Amino acid sequence: MNRYLWLAAIAVALTAAPFFVYPVLLMSILCFVIFASSFNLLLGYAGLLCFGQAMFFGTAAYVAGFVLKTYGVSLEIALLSGIAVSAAMGYVVGVISVRRSGIQFAMITLAISQFVYFLLLQAEFTGGEDGMQRIPRSALFGLFDVSDHLHFYYVTLAVTVLAVAFFYRVVHSPFGELLRAIRDNEPRVESLGFRPERYKIVAMTLSAGLAGLAGALKAMVFQFATLTDVSWPISAEVILMTLLGGLGTLTGPMLGAGVVILMNDELAQFGEWALITQGAILLLVIIFFRRGVVGETSALLRKLRTRQDQS
């Protein structure tokens, strides 16, 4: 009952939020909630540290923007296009990289992401260093006008809820249990007759698809896509969000995304101090909150319940 009450309270708060907070800021947080969840699926559940998550995010932003500008398709077609391209890219990256683990896997994904960055920089349709500007926000299903920020906020919220529900279903399925087993003891899983590489490739594909959804949605929110979306700092930022909130938890990366985006918004006027602050927070989390804010809080609550039960 308490869980349903909390969910109802969160639903009411999210519905009323754009009347009190700038909708574009809220939509940016929602996009990064999806993005952080995609990274959490890889590192938190499959144990794969990807240093190139931004390549899926940024490529989908360009793809969605391109099909909207060139073909004038409806909003959901552009979203699906971004997801499809990023998922296909995730499959290819997975085939190339999952035979390695640890820092080798991380360096391979970083190298591929830098290659993708260079390709998008040279491609004509991306606009190069100027980025892709004036991306139209066409009607949803060809019927509903979402050009207004307030209307589009509720579309973004609905997509985020569906994405989080999909993430929850994946990690609480037999497939998710197998991913955790691979993360904890891969040789044991292999000895049981499974092929871990196959499941890692599937995880990479699903994660890339979620990251692509976040990137395509962000391009529609801001109505432009730039090389920043494909760059290493965005990959580093999503790592910070996930570690800050709590690796391998459902709500941790969501909390981390909200904190980091709000912090960047508040510190934007101070320039490089935003990066310095992010670095200091990451250092504090690594030293004092190794399981993230949500992870450490959950562990503390479990300890308090155990003491109460014993007393």
Side-chain angles (χ1 to χ4, degrees):
M1 181 61 68
N2 288 334
R3 178 180 297 180
Y4 289 124
L5 289 175
W6 274 109
L7 288 174
I10 292 171
V12 171
L14 290 174
T15 302
F19 296 101
F20 303 96
V21 183
Y22 185 42
V24 173
L25 176 61
L26 292 174
M27 288 188 283
S28 179
I29 292 173
L30 292 174
C31 291
F32 277 93
V33 163
I34 301 173
F35 191 30
S37 296
S38 76
F39 181 77
N40 189 31
L41 177 61
L42 273 187
L43 183 58
Y45 292 89
L48 298 172
L49 176 57
C50 178
F51 276 171
Q53 197 75 355
M55 62 180 157
F56 311 124
F57 181 81
T59 300
Y62 278 120
V63 169
F66 176 75
V67 297
L68 282 171
K69 290 190 69 173
T70 307
Y71 302 107
V73 299
S74 58
L75 210 64
E76 71 282 357
I77 299 299
L79 279 176
L80 291 174
S81 301
I83 293 170
V85 171
S86 58
M89 183 186 297
Y91 176 81
V92 173
V93 172
V95 169
I96 295 171
S97 60
V98 296
R99 296 183 185 277
R100 298 291 182 267
S101 60
I103 194 63
Q104 290 180 328
F105 174 85
M107 290 297 102
I108 290 171
T109 56
L110 178 61
I112 296 173
S113 72
Q114 293 300 103
F115 177 70
V116 171
Y117 179 93
F118 176 77
L119 286 180
L120 292 174
L121 174 63
Q122 299 299 320
E124 292 185 8
F125 79 95
T126 64
E129 294 183 354
D130 294 329
M132 184 180 291
Q133 309 291 333
R134 300 177 186 174
I135 296 174
R137 194 184 291 167
S138 58
L140 182 65
F141 302 116
L143 299 173
F144 305 105
D145 180 23
V146 290
S147 57
D148 181 71
H149 288 325
L150 183 61
H151 294 161
F152 194 63
Y153 166 79
Y154 292 108
V155 174
T156 307
L157 178 60
V159 171
T160 303
V161 170
L162 291 174
V164 171
F166 173 76
F167 170 79
Y168 179 86
R169 184 68 188 91
V170 168
V171 300
H172 288 85
S173 67
F175 173 74
E177 294 294 334
L178 191 55
L179 284 183
R180 279 189 282 267
I182 292 171
R183 176 197 64 192
D184 296 335
N185 195 338
E186 185 172 336
R188 173 65 173 164
V189 173
E190 196 166 5
S191 70
L192 293 173
F194 296 99
R195 295 187 61 181
E197 290 84 4
R198 290 184 176 180
Y199 296 94
K200 288 181 180 179
I201 290 172
V202 174
M204 196 81 187
T205 304
L206 293 175
S207 174
L210 276 176
L213 172 61
L217 203 57
K218 181 178 179 289
M220 296 172 188
V221 170
F222 291 97
Q223 297 184 276
F224 64 82
T226 66
L227 289 169
T228 302
D229 297 331
V230 203
S231 63
W232 154 247
I234 294 296
S235 293
E237 201 164 77
V238 78
I239 294 173
L240 172 61
M241 291 173 183
T242 309
L243 294 179
L244 174 62
L247 199 60
T249 64
L250 176 66
T251 56
M254 302 178 197
L255 174 65
V259 170
V260 171
I261 295 300
L262 288 172
M263 181 179 67
N264 288 346
D265 184 67
E266 292 296 325
L267 297 177
Q269 57 184 321
F270 299 107
E272 295 299 321
W273 282 102
L275 296 176
I276 295 173
T277 305
Q278 282 186 5
I281 290 175
L282 180 59
L283 184 62
L284 291 173
V285 168
I286 292 173
I287 296 174
F288 299 107
F289 297 92
R290 300 191 66 179
R291 288 174 288 191
V293 174
V294 172
E296 292 292 345
T297 303
S298 299
L300 178 61
L301 291 175
R302 284 195 299 269
K303 193 177 293 185
L304 292 174
R305 288 197 198 100
T306 302
R307 288 181 181 177
Q308 288 178 352
D309 294 338
Q310 290 175 349
S311 61

